[in-house]
Amino acid sequence: LAEARAWIRSEMAWLFEDARTKGLELGRIVAVAGTATSGVSMREKMVEYDSSRVHGAMVTLGELAEITDLLCAASLAEREQVVGLDPKRAPVIVAGMLILQELLGLAGALGFTASESDILQGIVLDAASGRVVL
């Protein structure tokens, strides 16, 4: 796990360094896709996924660490039984959570906001507004 974390930081650090040199603030992180939405679903122990409870939910770095620690300690069979986690995600969720945790650390963020919108929608909105996309 330590090696995976170090590799994630080494591969992603330049993005955050580049953003800071451009004067961009990185205080708020909006995370999309299955890892982020699963984080909310697991925290809330959702037996049935409810997108209205997931979209816009904030997950703190501490909550993310608790969930990640639980998943890292669990076997694949145990992860498949975690309430709020789609069993099909069990094989990859640890990697996703490590990536999300390390990205938050690199950004200096205290957590993330989960979004049901996808990355393509964000790119289109950025392009329409004329803002710089990293």
Side-chain angles (χ1 to χ4, degrees):
L1 292 174
E3 288 179 24
R5 289 179 187 281
W7 182 84
I8 294 162
R9 282 191 302 274
S10 72
E11 292 295 312
M12 301 294 202
W14 72 270
L15 291 166
F16 295 90
E17 292 163 7
D18 188 49
R20 287 187 177 97
T21 60
K22 292 176 181 174
L24 300 174
E25 289 188 34
L26 303 173
R28 182 169 184 222
I29 301 296
V30 177
V32 300
T35 296
T37 58
S38 293
V40 176
S41 183
M42 286 183 285
R43 182 193 66 191
E44 298 298 319
K45 297 181 177 15
M46 291 182 193
V47 174
E48 192 168 313
Y49 187 82
D50 182 352
S51 63
S52 68
R53 291 175 53 200
V54 172
H55 184 71
M58 172 76 173
V59 176
T60 68
L61 196 51
E63 291 168 333
L64 181 62
E66 285 179 27
I67 296 165
T68 304
D69 290 347
L70 170 89
L71 295 169
C72 287
S75 68
L76 175 59
E78 291 168 331
R79 287 193 309 269
E80 289 172 341
Q81 300 302 312
V82 170
V83 176
L85 179 63
D86 179 342
K88 294 176 189 165
R89 279 198 169 278
V92 297
I93 193 64
V94 170
M97 294 303 235
L98 292 177
I99 292 167
L100 187 53
Q101 241 184 343
E102 292 305 315
L103 291 177
L104 291 176
L106 288 167
L110 299 176
F112 69 90
T113 302
S115 176
E116 284 281 327
S117 300
D118 67 22
I119 195 164
L120 181 58
Q121 187 176 11
I123 292 169
V124 170
L125 290 172
D126 267 349
S129 71
R131 294 187 317 206
V132 176
V133 178
L134 293 177

